[in-house]
Amino acid sequence: MNKKAPKYLSIEECVDHIVDMYGNDIKIGMPLGLGKPIRLINALYQHAKKNPQINLTIFTALSFEKPIPSSDLEKRLIGPFAERTWKDVPDIDFLFDLRSEEGLPKNIRIFEMYSKAGTYKGIPHMQQNHLSTNYTHTVRDIEVYNNRIFAHTVAKSEIDGDLKYSCSCNSDTALETFDRFHEQQEQGEKQLIIGVVNTKLPFMYGDAVVSPENYDIIIDDPADYHPLFATPRAPVSIPDFMIGLHISALIKDNGTLQIGIGALGDSIAYGLNVRHNENEAYKKLIKDSGISDRYKTLIGDIGGTDTFEEGLYGSTEMLVDGFLQLYKNGVIKRKIYHHIGIQKLINDGKLKEEIPADILKLMIEDETIHPYLTQKDFDSLQRFGVIKEDITYDNGELVNGNNRYSALLADDANLAAISENCLGTKLKNGVMLTGGFFLGPQDFYDDLNNMPEEERKQFEMTGVDVANQLYGNEVLRTLQRKDGRFCNTGMKATIMGAICSDGLEDGTVISGVGGQYNFVSMAHALPDGRCLMMIKSTKVEGTKTVSNIVYNYGHTTIPRHLKDIVVTEYGIADIRGKCDQDIIKEMLNVTDSRFQEELMAEAKKNQKLPEDYQIPEEFKNNTPEKLVQTLADPKAKGLFPDFPCGAPMTPEELFIAFSLKTLAAKAQTPQAAEFPKMMGELPTEIPDTIKPLVARMGLETPTSKEEIISQKTFLLALKLAGFF
């Protein structure tokens, strides 16, 4: 490790240092999402932009952009919302150039391994420079291009009087990068690690806490303490809720959960919260919808419908708002401990929070501590409260005041004396969630920042090589991640079980593999793990509805030999271990009924189904109308709101957004031909019921031809949406 104290530089001085160190060939990596040192990367980018002789390469993922309005009406809606949501959040300069007619300068190259779905569709530079890699291989794979610099944003705090930094929102790839770069520095290579302090970041614990000596350069300028990029909550649709509802019954109490960001993650969190806190209503809905009867055996084997008495542990690459909602609602509460002996006793039901007098004896029997207690064993047991804080270890003896006990636990009398005089009363330093990075809305960041230190320590951040796989500490992680349920999202599924999640069959990149393969693989590696792949059964392309369950597809993210469980809004397909015809039958059962017959005919044509096979009657009513009917009563009683975790917009803004969306959708239909006539029939005086909406858009008294057109168009949108 670099033992020297870091240099403390300004952004400008840091850019000069980089140029002096690397000349005209600069390669820099920065984390995905929130941890980007935006002002540093902007300064470096602008420097290279002005100096064409410099070749600048940037490695990253998930670069955030504020929404760009495509019309005057969108601008009027988004403007005030954006001001509230992203005020003083800096933009990433290279994203503007990516979308401009000129494009990026020829001397600058951007590599991204993951992006928000559809972000770079139609942008040649990003399509051509996409890095397709498992999340756990990110650091290794960018070494192919000889990356030399790593820079990220950090939080800072004092711990026991010493200055410490926290990788905070992005321990994911940072920790592995530190190790690799320090090794390469010791071999004489020019590697540079830069930390940029932002005190708006929550100071997170676990492996995220690092010493200043990890860094070559620290930039700590209050001018860079900017607000964090918030990701507003998306509305949760009825199909989303139904997917979450099905999944909620597949999660076992005292188990492990992984979910992601977005509406589907929120739907799972909400379904679990209803199961725990509205259990009577939950069980009624599960029964009335047919879920509990249809999947009775599967639910009994791997899930449940009762409340979470023991609770869940979150094991995830991404700590998202849904996890905090589950924590607040009493679902995330199962603690794990980074000690094989302790975790095994907990899993075996022999240990809870209170420490039993025979705990050392039990660990010796399990061979999880040595009969002779080493200093390492002692330190670990003391960390987790098994041994009292005031006990010390001195040259093979445990010291309790004036009393000394041999570390030889094989002596029964000595073991009894230690057990009576040296043990603690309760376990400590347990963890409720392990993650690699986090993103979320502003109140999610506020919640983390406002948590007391001891509470926040229960949400540990670590490297992606730990969070996303078992390798490296398989025994402990297998114990901790028992009954793991890893929920991932796909775009399409074939009826034989392959999943497409990151791109189209023509090679167009939509997002990226990210950690999906890692969690699929881990679900198969764990003896009691399952992967729950979420697929919305249909999507709309223009004016046409198409099936996301297809016979075959020319791009695969997860091959069909890694098939497990597929969940659509219509049900659960348990396809692990099954033969082709049984997989196809399961997949047809969760397909939208408008496409079942066509898919079944294709399977029969290719001799993958018996000629006389028919889809069971109970699965032939897979329609959107049936879903609406299923949730109608719970919605009328206040359950399953559009924004279960809180709306990002005011009620007026939500009405306006709905109206503009309705207008855009109907503009793609034959009804668009009637728009001129409808606009001519609009009232000349604005109805009282919609005056607040018109006022919010600043269109009460249009003063120009453009504003008159905008007002008329907006009134048409409100009319089409049924607001007058």
Side-chain angles (χ1 to χ4, degrees):
M1 175 190 271
N2 170 27
K3 296 294 183 182
K4 298 186 296 183
K7 295 180 179 179
Y8 286 83
L9 303 178
S10 67
I11 286 177
E12 293 75 17
E13 290 169 336
C14 184
V15 171
D16 290 341
H17 183 91
I18 290 170
V19 173
D20 289 344
M21 189 169 178
Y22 295 100
N24 292 338
D25 187 19
I26 299 171
K27 296 175 179 178
I28 183 169
M30 57 181 181
L32 61 72
L34 207 58
K36 293 177 173 57
I38 298 175
R39 289 182 173 143
L40 171 62
I41 209 72
N42 283 349
L44 194 59
Y45 176 75
Q46 293 299 337
H47 184 85
K49 193 174 176 181
K50 294 173 184 175
N51 297 272
Q53 70 275 19
I54 292 177
N55 290 312
L56 173 64
T57 305
I58 299 172
F59 305 92
T60 189
L62 201 57
S63 298
F64 290 127
E65 301 174 87
K66 300 166 190 175
I68 302 171
S70 60
S71 68
D72 179 60
L73 289 178
E74 282 191 11
K75 183 177 180 181
R76 290 172 182 273
L77 170 62
I78 291 172
F81 170 73
E83 177 68 12
R84 295 196 310 268
T85 307
W86 298 293
K87 181 178 172 59
D88 297 328
V89 176
D91 296 301
I92 301 173
D93 288 351
F94 67 71
L95 294 177
F96 290 111
D97 287 346
L98 267 177
R99 300 195 181 282
S100 69
E101 290 186 11
E102 296 80 11
L104 286 177
K106 295 186 183 304
N107 60 317
I108 297 172
R109 196 174 181 188
I110 311 292
F111 290 84
E112 283 220 344
M113 55 155 277
Y114 190 88
S115 63
K116 182 180 175 183
T119 298
Y120 299 127
K121 194 176 180 181
I123 299 181
H125 183 98
M126 302 307 281
Q127 290 294 324
Q128 293 163 18
N129 291 288
H130 174 74
L131 276 173
S132 181
T133 182
N134 289 330
Y135 197 13
T136 50
H137 297 157
T138 303
V139 176
R140 181 202 70 184
D141 286 356
I142 65 173
E143 286 184 354
V144 170
Y145 292 95
N146 297 311
N147 181 48
R148 291 290 176 258
I149 309 168
F150 176 73
H152 70 153
T153 305
V154 298
K156 70 174 180 179
S157 184
E158 277 197 7
I159 299 178
D160 298 328
D162 294 326
L163 175 64
K164 297 289 184 181
Y165 294 105
S166 170
C167 301
S168 185
C169 57
N170 282 100
S171 300
D172 46 3
T173 54
L175 299 175
E176 184 182 353
T177 300
F178 291 164
D179 291 341
R180 285 179 179 262
F181 273 28
H182 291 146
E183 289 174 7
Q184 291 162 346
Q185 285 173 336
E186 289 174 1
Q187 295 167 6
E189 296 189 32
K190 294 194 299 182
Q191 307 290 76
L192 192 61
I193 303 174
I194 304 167
V196 181
V197 176
N198 184 359
T199 56
K200 303 289 186 182
L201 273 176
F203 190 95
M204 303 301 289
Y205 292 88
D207 295 332
V209 179
V210 295
S211 300
E213 291 76 21
N214 279 278
Y215 295 95
D216 301 294
I217 294 173
I218 293 287
I219 299 171
D220 190 352
D221 183 351
D224 204 51
Y225 299 169
H226 59 76
L228 309 179
F229 191 101
T231 52
R233 297 181 180 98
V236 181
S237 67
I238 287 177
D240 296 331
F241 274 129
M242 289 303 298
I243 289 174
L245 187 65
H246 282 94
I247 283 180
S248 70
L250 301 179
I251 311 301
K252 182 170 284 192
D253 188 21
N254 207 24
T256 304
L257 179 68
Q258 181 237 348
I259 57 175
I261 199 169
L264 284 174
D266 288 348
S267 78
I268 296 169
Y270 185 74
L272 292 170
N273 285 335
V274 173
R275 172 179 159 183
H276 185 61
N277 294 297
E278 303 278 352
N279 192 250
E280 186 178 339
Y282 174 82
K283 284 185 174 177
K284 183 178 186 304
L285 176 57
I286 289 289
K287 181 170 180 54
D288 292 347
S289 64
I291 293 174
S292 57
D293 291 335
R294 192 175 290 174
Y295 307 108
K296 181 178 181 180
T297 300
L298 183 63
I299 291 171
D301 289 345
I302 74 166
T305 59
D306 291 328
T307 57
F308 293 95
E309 297 308 306
E310 300 296 330
L312 301 177
Y313 158 63
S315 180
T316 183
E317 66 179 18
M318 178 160 54
L319 166 57
V320 295
D321 180 48
F323 278 114
L324 282 195
Q325 302 298 327
L326 288 167
Y327 169 66
K328 292 176 185 177
N329 284 281
V331 177
I332 292 290
K333 58 186 176 185
R334 178 171 83 87
K335 291 183 181 180
I336 57 97
Y337 297 85
H338 296 313
H339 188 287
I340 291 174
I342 293 173
Q343 195 62 53
K344 186 175 188 306
L345 290 176
I346 290 173
N347 286 15
D348 291 344
K350 298 176 182 177
L351 173 63
K352 290 191 178 290
E353 192 173 7
E354 293 75 23
I355 295 170
D358 62 346
I359 188 169
L360 298 179
K361 180 175 181 293
L362 292 171
M363 287 186 182
I364 293 170
E365 291 173 353
D366 283 341
E367 299 183 350
T368 54
I369 61 171
H370 299 95
Y372 180 85
L373 200 65
T374 65
Q375 177 79 59
K376 183 178 179 181
D377 286 335
F378 173 87
D379 291 342
S380 183
L381 291 171
Q382 192 171 58
R383 175 189 171 194
F384 296 110
V386 175
I387 294 176
K388 291 190 289 189
E389 288 184 5
D390 56 355
I391 307 295
T392 58
Y393 188 95
D394 179 37
N395 196 29
E397 292 184 318
L398 279 69
V399 182
N400 183 2
N402 295 323
N403 299 314
R404 303 175 76 91
Y405 307 93
S406 169
L408 184 62
L409 305 182
D411 183 299
D412 290 342
N414 185 58
L415 175 60
I418 290 174
S419 299
E420 182 178 351
N421 297 288
C422 299
L423 296 185
T425 57
K426 288 187 176 182
L427 293 174
K428 62 182 184 180
N429 291 323
V431 172
M432 292 184 188
L433 181 138
T434 301
F437 72 101
F438 63 76
L439 299 170
Q442 185 58 51
D443 58 355
F444 166 78
Y445 304 141
D446 294 341
D447 284 343
L448 289 175
N449 269 316
N450 294 333
M451 274 186 186
E453 179 181 333
E454 287 305 310
E455 188 177 2
R456 200 184 321 140
K457 283 181 177 179
Q458 296 175 111
F459 297 84
E460 67 171 0
M461 303 303 289
T462 188
V464 69
D465 57 328
V466 174
N468 284 32
Q469 61 189 15
L470 301 177
Y471 312 127
N473 202 345
E474 291 91 335
V475 174
L476 179 59
R477 293 176 197 169
T478 298
L479 289 168
Q480 292 171 337
R481 298 171 192 182
K482 70 188 204 68
D483 292 308
R485 302 292 177 262
F486 305 106
C487 307
N488 288 268
T489 304
M491 297 188 301
K492 291 182 180 293
T494 71
I495 61 169
M496 284 180 280
I499 305 294
C500 170
S501 302
D502 66 312
L504 305 182
E505 55 187 347
D506 64 359
T508 299
V509 176
I510 299 299
S511 55
V513 177
Q516 185 169 107
Y517 173 82
N518 298 134
F519 283 97
V520 172
S521 176
M522 183 158 51
H524 283 279
L526 288 166
D528 49 12
R530 300 303 297 263
C531 174
L532 312 178
M533 194 65 69
M534 303 177 287
I535 308 285
K536 287 188 179 181
S537 69
T538 64
K539 69 173 182 176
V540 176
E541 294 181 348
T543 61
K544 186 179 179 183
T545 299
V546 299
S547 178
N548 284 329
I549 311 296
V550 296
Y551 186 78
N552 202 6
Y553 197 69
H555 179 78
T556 296
T557 311
I558 305 300
R560 73 189 189 101
H561 69 269
L562 290 176
K563 59 193 176 294
D564 200 338
I565 292 175
V566 174
V567 181
T568 76
E569 62 267 40
Y570 296 119
I572 304 165
D574 181 9
I575 58 177
R576 180 192 277 194
K578 294 183 178 175
C579 70
D580 283 0
Q581 70 162 309
D582 290 338
I583 294 168
I584 293 171
K585 291 172 185 177
E586 290 276 342
M587 293 298 292
L588 287 173
N589 289 345
V590 300
T591 298
D592 188 290
S593 291
R594 289 170 286 183
F595 305 98
Q596 287 173 325
E597 293 294 329
E598 179 184 348
L599 286 170
M600 183 171 64
E602 183 77 4
K604 290 179 178 179
K605 183 182 78 172
N606 290 290
Q607 300 181 336
K608 302 302 288 187
L609 274 181
E611 282 294 332
D612 62 351
Y613 178 74
Q614 293 298 316
I615 297 167
E617 286 297 323
E618 64 177 316
F619 299 107
K620 287 186 173 181
N621 193 23
N622 291 350
T623 65
E625 294 77 18
K626 179 67 182 297
L627 300 179
V628 171
Q629 180 185 346
T630 299
L631 287 186
D633 184 59
K635 274 184 164 289
K637 294 176 179 176
L639 296 175
F640 300 95
D642 293 345
F643 292 92
C645 301
M649 290 181 163
T650 66
E652 290 82 4
E653 288 170 338
L654 292 174
F655 292 146
I656 293 166
F658 174 75
S659 301
L660 296 183
K661 186 176 180 180
T662 301
L663 175 67
K666 290 185 180 294
Q668 303 298 316
T669 70
Q671 190 179 0
E674 301 174 20
F675 283 2
K677 179 184 176 185
M678 293 176 68
M679 291 181 76
E681 295 172 348
L682 291 170
T684 55
E685 188 171 328
I686 298 172
D688 290 342
T689 54
I690 62 170
K691 279 183 178 179
L693 304 180
V694 177
R696 165 59 182 80
M697 295 289 277
L699 291 170
E700 314 99 298
T701 54
T703 58
S704 67
K705 181 180 178 182
E706 289 76 14
E707 286 189 347
I708 291 171
I709 293 172
S710 289
Q711 187 201 59
K712 287 282 189 183
T713 306
F714 182 51
L715 291 176
L716 175 63
L718 294 174
K719 181 73 173 177
L720 291 169
F723 285 110
F724 74 97

